Amino acid sequence: MKVGFIGLGNVGGKLSGSLLRNGIDLSVYDLNAALVARAAEAGATAANDPAELMRNCDAVITCLPSPTASDQVMQQMLPEVGPGKIWMEMSTTDEAEVKRLGTLVEQAGGAAVDCPVSGGCHRADTGNISIFAGCDRETFDRIAPLLKTMGRRILHTGPIGSASVLKVITNYLATANLLTCCEALVTAKAAGMDLNTAYEAIKISSGTSFVHETESQVILNGSRDISFTMDLVSKDIGLFQAVADRHDVPLEINPLLIEIFKDGEARFGSRELSPNIIRRLEEATGLKITAPGFPSEMTDDEPEEPGYEVIPTGRDGGAGQ
């Protein structure tokens, strides 16, 4: 299968790298020529535009920063969509928008999948990230080998749009967790606790989480580098709010998260690293939340392993290899 990849940023560059590392015939496109050149050096073919990718490839993956960007790319690709073509949307995007674009692809004879990732850039780099996939089962079976090359745990979530809903739900939970970790660490410092000890206490307790075991480390290092920025957090929790609003769910916590990150963007800039939301509390208390011995960025120390399908509890069968 010939594969095209559009969007070679923090996540897309790593996902496309996994495809190349595992021998996939890959062509790439990005507005940043330097990123395209880097992928070409690793063995990818550089394309001139999205239309060329859709014309020449069996499947085209998009991994872009916003629904608007995905729409702009789709308008270029759509004339080249036809029977046998697959569009795979790996961006974090709006459920309604991915359904709209997916319908255009299907009306042109192609197949559409929303397949966002979850688990952090460090796991995207090693092919150990998790991937949700929303599409019909026949299409899922066609693209499963690609998904299992880019990720380890692959979950077929249902029809197109379902993966995007679950993605923004999980990002909402991660955002809430980040803010509670920030409050916990600042409170520990204010109470005179050693932060190295506080980190370990949380890690071995019922209060631990994926976010604590990753983002708390780069917070304590002082780099705050998790390869994710405040504007992207605001986008994701805004998308989650939109899902809740469409279904008349009266959220109480998420509106507060939105308010906090709007304030963070106003104070520190939209492109500030998202863990630096802790600076609001550092400035309010006069405390500096750092400790020795923590890494400046996260790396995945698990070996790359073949991906497999995760079967939800209650469904027949087990995890397929």
Side-chain angles (χ1 to χ4, degrees):
M1 179 180 283
K2 292 184 177 181
V3 180
F5 205 109
I6 301 173
L8 302 175
N10 282 331
V11 176
K14 294 175 174 60
L15 294 171
S16 60
S18 289
L19 293 173
L20 284 172
R21 188 169 60 251
N22 287 281
I24 300 298
D25 184 354
L26 187 71
S27 298
V28 299
Y29 177 78
D30 194 284
L31 293 176
N32 186 329
L35 296 179
V36 174
R38 185 184 307 168
E41 288 176 3
T45 300
N48 294 311
D49 52 51
E52 179 184 324
L53 281 182
M54 184 59 77
R55 182 165 56 251
N56 295 335
C57 297
D58 303 298
V60 176
I61 298 167
T62 49
C63 191
L64 299 164
S66 69
T68 298
S70 291
D71 177 66
Q72 291 172 345
V73 166
M74 178 53 68
Q75 297 315 313
Q76 297 180 61
M77 294 193 299
L78 201 56
E80 304 296 336
V81 175
K85 301 288 186 178
I86 306 173
W87 170 53
M88 299 169 60
E89 172 64 292
M90 300 197 81
S91 318
T92 299
T93 190
D94 179 63
E95 167 205 13
E97 179 65 1
V98 78
K99 285 181 176 178
R100 183 184 72 84
L101 295 180
T103 297
L104 296 177
V105 170
E106 291 166 358
Q107 288 174 343
V113 188
D114 62 324
C115 44
V117 300
S118 184
C121 284
H122 62 299
R123 288 187 174 172
D125 199 27
T126 57
N128 287 328
I129 203 162
S130 298
I131 304 177
F132 304 153
C135 57
D136 62 82
R137 185 70 206 190
E138 180 182 353
T139 300
F140 177 81
D141 289 339
R142 287 175 63 195
I143 61 158
L146 293 178
L147 298 180
K148 292 175 183 178
T149 298
M150 291 183 284
R152 179 182 293 187
R153 300 168 185 87
I154 315 302
L155 179 65
H156 182 218
T157 57
I160 188 167
S162 59
S164 291
V165 171
L166 291 169
K167 170 60 174 177
V168 297
I169 287 173
T170 60
N171 277 18
Y172 155 71
L173 291 169
T175 301
N177 206 178
L178 169 61
L179 292 175
T180 57
C181 285
C182 290
E183 292 188 351
L185 292 172
V186 174
T187 300
K189 179 73 171 182
M193 298 293 103
D194 172 73
L195 288 178
N196 294 73
T197 303
Y199 172 83
E200 293 299 334
I202 297 169
K203 182 179 177 181
I204 66 172
S205 75
S206 58
T208 197
S209 64
F210 175 83
V211 171
H212 174 64
E213 294 179 22
T214 54
E215 298 197 42
S216 288
Q217 293 204 63
V218 296
I219 286 172
L220 290 168
N221 171 273
S223 76
R224 288 37 193 307
D225 186 1
I226 205 70
S227 299
F228 209 70
T229 53
M230 291 190 183
D231 59 333
L232 295 177
V233 172
S234 293
K235 181 199 78 170
D236 290 352
I237 56 180
L239 291 171
F240 174 68
Q241 187 68 46
V243 172
D245 290 346
R246 280 197 293 269
H247 296 282
D248 300 318
V249 180
L251 299 181
E252 297 176 300
I253 296 173
N254 195 56
L256 180 57
L257 304 187
I258 291 172
E259 181 180 330
I260 290 170
F261 267 90
K262 282 183 178 177
D263 181 65
E265 287 191 70
R267 292 192 194 196
F268 312 124
S270 293
R271 300 303 292 168
E272 180 59 82
L273 293 164
S274 57
N276 256 328
I277 198 69
I278 198 173
R279 288 176 57 190
R280 296 172 71 255
L281 291 173
E282 288 180 317
E283 292 178 357
T285 60
L287 299 173
K288 185 65 175 175
I289 308 303
T290 58
F294 291 95
S296 60
E297 60 182 12
M298 296 309 303
T299 56
D300 185 15
D301 57 6
E302 295 183 43
E304 183 173 6
E305 294 183 1
Y308 60 89
E309 182 181 354
V310 175
I311 306 299
T313 302
R315 288 192 188 170
D316 292 337
Q321 296 297 321

